[in-house]
């Protein structure tokens, strides 16, 4: 598994999915959900809510 390029924390599957979804699908370097929220100027809760929506839509980037 990859680590966050900002803080070095180990990333889980959904964090990698979130980065792909919100930043760039072709990315090979990823941000954790905390750094991603900061970059996008939203809260972690906002992102988690979005992840839940994408999951309901059947998006395979999330489990
Ligand atoms: Zn991070």
């Amino acid at each position: 598994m990859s680590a966050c390029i900002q803080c070095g924390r180990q990333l889980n599957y959904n964090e990698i999915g979130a980065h792909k979804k919100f930043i760039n699908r072709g990315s090979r370097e990823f941000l954790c959900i905390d750094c991603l929220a900061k970059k996008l100027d939203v809260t972690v809760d906002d992102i988690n809510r979005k992840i839940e929506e994408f999951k309901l839509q059947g998006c395979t980037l999330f489990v």
Side-chain angles (χ1 to χ4, degrees), residues 3-9 11 15 30-36:
C4 173
I5 52 171
Q6 193 103 6
C7 69
R9 188 159 70 69
L11 300 172
E15 287 178 310
F30 308 101
L31 293 168
C32 69
I33 201 162
D34 296 300
C35 296
L36 186 64

Side-chain angles (χ1 to χ4, degrees), residues 41-58:
D41 203 21
V42 298
T43 67
V44 170
D45 281 349
D46 288 333
I47 294 181
N48 279 326
R49 238 188 332 265
K50 278 307 217 182
I51 289 175
E52 288 307 311
E53 281 176 29
F54 289 133
K55 268 159 68 173
L56 289 175
Q57 291 163 13

